[in-house]
Amino acid sequence: MRGRLPWIVAAVLALLAPLRGQGQESMPYNWRHYMEVVSEEGSEEDVQELAELYAECLENPVNVNDTACGLRIFPFVSSLQISCLKAHVALYGRLATTDELYGVEGFDSATVELLKPLIFAGPSEQPKPVTLKEILTQGRHNLIVGAGGTVEQARGYRDSIYEGDNLRLLWRYVFKYKDRVQLQLSGDKDPGEAFFSGSQRQGFDFYGYSLMVNDIGKVKKQRMGLTRKGKKNLFYLQRAVAGQYHLQFGQGLTLWSGYSSFYPMGTNISRFGVGLRPNGAFTEYGYLRGAAATLSLASHWSLTAFYSLTDRSATLPRKAATDSTIDWVQSLYNSGYYRTQTELKKKHQVDEQLFGGHLSFHTRNLTVGLTGVSTRFSKEIIPQKYVYNDNAFRGRENANFGLDFAYRYRRLLLFGEGAVCVNTSPDSSSRNVSPAAIAGMEFIVNNNHRLSASLRYYSPTYHNLHASCLGQNGYPQNEEGAGVNYQGLLPLGIQATASADWFRFPHMKYLVYAPSVGQEYNLALARPFRHVKGLTLRLSFRYKEKARNVTPTHQENGCYVLEQTYRRQLQGEVAYENGIFKLVTRVAYAHYHGEVTQADKGLLFYQDVQLRPQRVPLTLAARITLFDIDDYEARLYTMESGFIYQSNSVVFQNEGWRCYLLLKWEVTEHWSIGFKYGVTVYTDKDSFGSGYELISVPHRQQWRIQMRLKW
């Protein structure tokens, strides 16, 4: 490693600072570690929505005794664990403290530690009628305003390619009355986008809005003459959302919008779809817009109906610039950036209309759901033809129908979902009806050992634009696979998780122009030390093998030639936290090579320091990172301390160093403010970034500020 490291002095001084006390709450180490795993495999939207979930539950903890739907919002809690909690509460009564979760069958210590900052154990109350006066006088307000930018000017700004400046501006307002009413409004401007000028004379590029109400208007069926034999079952409105929202059902094969978060803890591979929920404050794509409602029809039945009309951005064919009669698009555009004239031409090019319903039957041990959804676009989608995309969606309409189930028998959970899509391509008269299916099981040997396994089949011609399911592709298409998982407590108090996944792609895909196979293995070991409270040692290893083209054009006997590639990643970490300060030291190494491709290596080291004084309401965090990474394929990820709604996931490549300093100050009980400064320096290059983001010097300085008001 080369280069001067001026910030290391600040890090050492922070480490030795004799501050005591506890100030503003910061995200625990285990939550940051979990979100880092998500950032490696998922999208930035997934990370941001998880951060939003954490912040929301930190202020409004979930009642662990609310077994109906309380823990369902956490993606790392499985259906089996929730069923076990229901059985425990039914048998022994409600939990008196959150520590009792350790004794509930199926709840391992890793899951409980993630939950503890965000839950409480209180009496489970039935929803009561509320008045408008109560809502207005007892509701709580929350306002966040933030800004951030880069000190250096990238090429897009220097050459006036971008329409706006390099600032990111955001605001979010939430009004909430308990868990019954929530109003959310937000605005977001990305760097490079215009602000009250040019194409954005309305101000922010993106405005978010949603209104959610829960448990409104119980009505006795007896009044409607629908009861039998004197039964007094109730039907009522469980939840309704107007504005931007998401729908999540079953295992995600038929309908699942919003963050996928299929990066479970240990053996928790089954999903527990929350059904209807509002859109995240700054999720600019993938959401639905309109209205949806969930009705309780009887003690075991519920029905969700939804309608959405969303303007989607899309890529136009090249000749659309000279031919105004073209009424089709090539693909949907999901980046959310509208900085250049090319990007602006993609904005709001096609309307997506989506409607349907989900009928659910549920008992203590069984849940069955039936989902039907129809999607229609105002323009045909006709992708540009490439070697690999013969099976891409083409057309204007698509319908999906699915059946999902989850059945618990003692310590065993069986789950699955089957679905079909129905559509017609504009260049073919035949109708496409293609299936997809997933099935799995989770088994609790005891609280110290758990197992799970799954099988999946996604047809190469299965199309679903709002689906997210277990798999290597990130979307359920052109994949077959099987996986096994283990989680247990080994001798010497070592917590272990292990997984293996074998997969096959029966049809060509991007950068893989022939059928291919692969496999992935993961092992993670964690050792909390009881004699040194707060000290944890982690060691993880990941191995992944998959195929790719030797070159995009290399062929032999008329067939494209593939090579198997191999990636190994080893990571060790020591963390110590005592309530006053937190120290984390990490070393990570990655090695990537192919049968033809030469090896690339990556090495990363960082030292992280956080201080939370008792007598001063401050949180101070600093980190120094050294990295030496040959190529993108050997890249390494880290998750930094930061602010909600502003990206804290960093991808490292090249050679150099990075450091940052974060300060959060809780000025009063209702007002807090924070500032972050970070600098990344390359020691093997003369510039930073590429394309329109190219900076002519080998370093980049970034700053962020955020203010929060609560009343």
Side-chain angles (χ1 to χ4, degrees), residues 93 266 274 388-389 437 455 612 636 638 656:
V274 297
Y388 60 87
N389 71 341
L455 294 170
R612 296 195 300 274
L636 292 165
T638 66

Side-chain angles (χ1 to χ4, degrees), residues 456-650:
R456 61 187 183 273
Y457 169 77
Y458 310 141
S459 168
T461 53
Y462 180 75
H463 299 138
N464 193 329
L465 303 179
H466 291 285
S468 174
C469 207
L470 173 65
Q472 294 287 333
N473 274 334
Y475 51 90
Q477 184 183 20
N478 186 34
E479 184 175 348
E480 302 168 4
V484 294
N485 304 270
Y486 165 78
Q487 181 175 354
L489 184 63
L490 304 181
L492 303 179
I494 298 175
Q495 301 170 358
T497 59
S499 65
D501 191 40
W502 301 274
F503 48 90
R504 174 177 178 264
F505 305 118
H507 194 272
M508 64 180 66
K509 52 181 291 189
Y510 180 62
L511 296 181
V512 189
Y513 293 174
S516 61
V517 297
Q519 52 190 329
E520 181 178 6
Y521 303 97
N522 292 279
L523 175 64
L525 304 174
R527 174 67 162 88
F529 292 88
R530 296 181 180 178
H531 299 295
V532 184
K533 188 177 180 180
L535 179 63
T536 303
L537 174 64
R538 291 181 181 271
L539 184 66
S540 63
F541 175 75
R542 174 177 294 183
Y543 171 84
K544 189 169 186 177
E545 174 188 337
K546 62 179 182 179
R548 77 169 190 180
N549 295 338
V550 173
T551 68
T553 59
H554 184 68
Q555 299 184 48
E556 291 183 4
N557 299 322
C559 298
Y560 290 93
V561 178
L562 305 184
E563 64 168 336
Q564 290 296 110
T565 63
Y566 312 89
R567 192 181 195 276
R568 300 169 178 86
Q569 180 175 327
L570 180 64
Q571 181 172 294
E573 190 171 278
V574 179
Y576 176 72
E577 183 176 10
N578 68 355
I580 300 174
F581 63 87
K582 180 192 302 180
L583 304 174
V584 181
T585 303
R586 172 183 293 183
V587 177
Y589 174 77
H591 184 278
Y592 174 89
H593 71 95
E595 295 172 331
V596 177
T597 304
Q598 294 183 351
D600 293 321
K601 300 176 183 178
L603 180 64
L604 180 144
F605 165 83
Y606 77 61
Q607 177 62 55
D608 193 62
V609 181
Q610 289 192 34
L611 293 170
R612 296 195 300 274
Q614 289 179 343
R615 299 170 184 170
V616 183
L618 292 176
T619 297
L620 178 67
R623 175 185 293 178
I624 178 71
T625 304
L626 309 176
F627 56 92
D628 186 356
I629 298 170
D630 294 337
D631 188 75
Y632 179 75
E633 295 292 354
R635 65 194 180 276
L636 292 165
Y637 295 80
T638 66
M639 178 67 65
E640 296 182 347
S641 297
F643 306 124
I644 185 174
Y645 311 128
Q646 299 193 48
S647 172
N648 299 308
S649 176
V650 183

Side-chain angles (χ1 to χ4, degrees), residues 237-395:
L237 182 64
Q238 288 183 337
R239 173 168 293 186
V241 176
Q244 298 163 350
Y245 63 92
H246 291 293
L247 294 167
Q248 300 175 343
F249 300 118
Q251 300 302 310
L253 195 54
T254 310
L255 182 55
W256 192 288
S257 65
Y259 69 83
S260 54
S261 295
F262 201 85
Y263 315 101
M265 296 291 295
T267 58
N268 297 346
I269 61 173
S270 66
R271 281 183 163 181
F272 205 142
V274 297
L276 174 61
R277 69 176 185 87
N279 181 43
F282 305 108
T283 303
E284 296 192 35
Y285 60 87
Y287 60 82
L288 306 176
R289 183 175 62 194
T294 300
L295 297 170
S296 175
L297 303 180
S299 57
H300 300 295
W301 293 87
S302 63
L303 174 66
T304 300
F306 47 87
Y307 176 82
S308 168
L309 181 61
T310 310
D311 46 9
R312 302 285 299 272
S313 298
T315 302
L316 298 173
R318 292 183 179 178
K319 56 183 179 181
T322 57
D323 187 353
S324 59
T325 63
I326 292 178
D327 62 348
W328 52 275
V329 298
Q330 288 186 335
S331 62
L332 298 178
Y333 177 71
N334 292 325
S335 78
Y337 287 109
Y338 303 100
R339 305 161 296 183
T340 67
Q341 291 302 313
T342 300
E343 292 172 344
L344 286 168
K345 289 179 181 178
K346 301 176 182 180
K347 192 172 185 179
H348 302 167
Q349 286 295 331
V350 59
D351 291 334
E352 178 193 54
Q353 183 179 219
L354 183 144
F355 58 91
H358 174 81
L359 181 64
S360 175
F361 172 81
H362 47 86
T363 63
R364 176 177 296 181
N365 296 321
L366 175 66
T367 299
V368 179
L370 180 64
T371 307
V373 55
S374 175
T375 306
R376 298 178 181 177
F377 294 96
S378 59
K379 298 179 181 179
E380 299 274 4
I381 297 178
I382 306 177
Q384 184 175 349
K385 290 187 178 181
Y386 295 104
V387 175
Y388 60 87
N389 71 341
D390 285 347
N391 292 321
F393 173 75
R394 290 170 168 81

Side-chain angles (χ1 to χ4, degrees), residues 391-459:
N391 292 321
F393 173 75
R394 290 170 168 81
R396 192 188 294 263
E397 299 182 3
N398 187 54
N400 296 94
F401 304 95
L403 178 68
D404 64 86
F405 76 95
Y407 174 70
R408 171 181 174 266
Y409 177 73
R410 296 182 180 178
R411 299 179 179 178
L412 175 67
L413 175 72
L414 301 175
F415 64 89
E417 183 172 3
V420 295
C421 76
V422 181
N423 55 58
T424 302
S425 175
D427 54 6
S428 173
S429 59
S430 61
R431 184 178 295 273
N432 170 42
V433 180
S434 297
I438 183 172
M441 57 80 66
E442 295 180 13
F443 179 65
I444 300 174
V445 181
N446 52 47
N447 269 22
N448 292 332
H449 300 281
R450 296 159 54 187
L451 300 168
S452 64
S454 64
L455 294 170
R456 61 187 183 273
Y457 169 77
Y458 310 141
S459 168

